[in-house]
Amino acid sequence: MLHLYRIAVNCFRESLREPVYFLMLFGALLIIGHYPWLTLFVFREQLKLVVDGAMATTMLFSLAVCVLCATSTISREMRNGTVLLLLSKPIPRWSFVIGKICGILAASLLFCVICCCASVVSVYIAVDQFRMEMHLYLAFLGILAVACAAALIINYLKGGAFSEYSAYAATVLVGGMLLYCLKFQPHPELYLTDLFKALLLLLPAVGIMAVLAVAFATRFDVVPSMCFCTVFFFLGLMSSYLFGGGSSEPVVSMVYSLLYAAIPNWQFFWMADALAVNRTIPSMYVLGAFGYAVFYSVIITVWAVVGFQNREAAGVRDN
């Protein structure tokens, strides 16, 4: 278990040190923070557009980070021989795979949590269709600059990775601003409990994609892994339409059922439409979605572990 913990921690830190992690995180935060300004004068639809845009940005960027971090860190270790060094020690292969899954999963969920906090702050900034809370808007942009400045100072004084420490600083500062808004700012028109539930449902979606990305990265190189993850993402968006209707033919219906079960349905985790019509999100639905994500992730983890047992790590090379 100690080996698994160390592999997970090292993979988590490696993911945060990736330049793409920093670019995706602060790019997403800037986009989310600007939605209140971009949706002014939309005739009573500002709050809906802010919520839809912030949730869509959070989900898409988080899923992209899962794939990019998994393919870059794991595939790089396959190519440069780090995997051979690890496996030459008394470390079981299942420990390597599960440790990588835990590390990528933690980094991806941290990314999603930061963006979710920023989404709630963005809702507080959007007061109405003709104005917004300028002091919150400027404060949000200011804390992003402070996070980068703090990481820059740590990088200069201690040699720490800029991307990693900027993520830590953003977690603390954006989380602190969220707590300030919840405590001292007047509540927006949107029911906050349902908003938190809708944002919470993005976490299991990100978790499934993180496990899938690691599973593919342990078997394939960077480009094939990204292609497979992209195919799974787009098929999952249309899963109910493509495979959920069934068929009059028994054989075709069975194939549709198998495909519907094998491909994750991302629509289970998208509750922006329910928020738009002020529909209450049941707590049991949230628990069911988390249960679905855990069950699916366990199946994919078992598949990844079994597939990696016969993987020839020495045979991985650059194309």
Side-chain angles (χ1 to χ4, degrees), residues 200-212:
L200 188 64
L201 282 170
L202 298 180
L203 297 179
V206 174
I208 290 176
M209 181 55 80
V211 177
L212 273 173

Side-chain angles (χ1 to χ4, degrees), residues 39-255:
T39 55
L40 288 174
F41 309 108
V42 292
F43 302 101
R44 300 185 183 278
E45 295 293 329
Q46 185 194 31
L47 196 58
K48 177 182 179 297
L49 291 176
V50 170
V51 172
D52 287 357
M55 288 184 62
T57 302
T58 299
M59 188 170 187
L60 290 176
F61 275 70
S62 298
L63 295 177
V65 163
C66 296
V67 177
L68 293 172
C69 288
T71 53
S72 61
T73 56
I74 297 176
S75 298
R76 183 176 62 243
E77 290 185 1
M78 292 284 193
R79 292 195 302 270
N80 62 21
T82 306
V83 175
L84 290 175
L85 179 63
L86 284 174
L87 298 181
S88 64
K89 300 178 181 180
I91 298 177
R93 289 191 171 217
W94 65 264
S95 181
F96 171 80
V97 175
I98 295 178
K100 291 296 182 182
I101 288 175
C102 293
I104 297 294
L105 184 62
S108 304
L109 291 180
L110 177 64
F111 184 100
C112 187
V113 168
I114 297 172
C115 291
C116 287
C117 293
S119 300
V120 180
V121 172
S122 185
V123 170
Y124 273 95
I125 295 174
V127 177
D128 57 45
Q129 58 185 328
F130 299 116
R131 68 183 182 90
M132 59 183 190
E133 293 286 357
M134 284 302 299
H135 69 284
L136 291 181
Y137 173 70
L138 295 176
F140 182 78
L141 297 181
I143 64 174
L144 296 185
V146 170
C148 293
L152 188 66
I153 293 172
I154 295 175
N155 175 262
Y156 177 76
L157 296 178
K158 296 185 177 181
F162 172 80
S163 178
E164 179 184 4
Y165 285 100
S166 64
Y168 296 151
T171 304
V172 175
L173 293 174
V174 176
M177 187 170 183
L178 171 62
L179 294 177
Y180 169 82
C181 291
L182 293 174
K183 182 69 175 178
F184 299 106
Q185 289 296 122
H187 284 203
E189 297 177 6
L190 192 67
Y191 191 38
L192 283 178
T193 302
D194 286 331
L195 176 61
F196 279 119
K197 288 180 180 179
L199 293 173
L200 188 64
L201 282 170
L202 298 180
L203 297 179
V206 174
I208 290 176
M209 181 55 80
V211 177
L212 273 173
V214 175
F216 285 127
T218 56
R219 295 293 300 172
F220 305 102
D221 209 344
V222 176
V223 175
S225 298
M226 296 183 69
C227 290
F228 281 123
C229 291
T230 303
V231 169
F232 263 75
F233 174 68
F234 283 107
L235 286 178
L237 289 177
M238 301 179 291
S239 179
S240 298
Y241 174 76
L242 294 176
F243 314 117
S247 175
S248 58
E249 295 291 334
V251 177
V252 177
S253 180
M254 183 179 66
V255 173

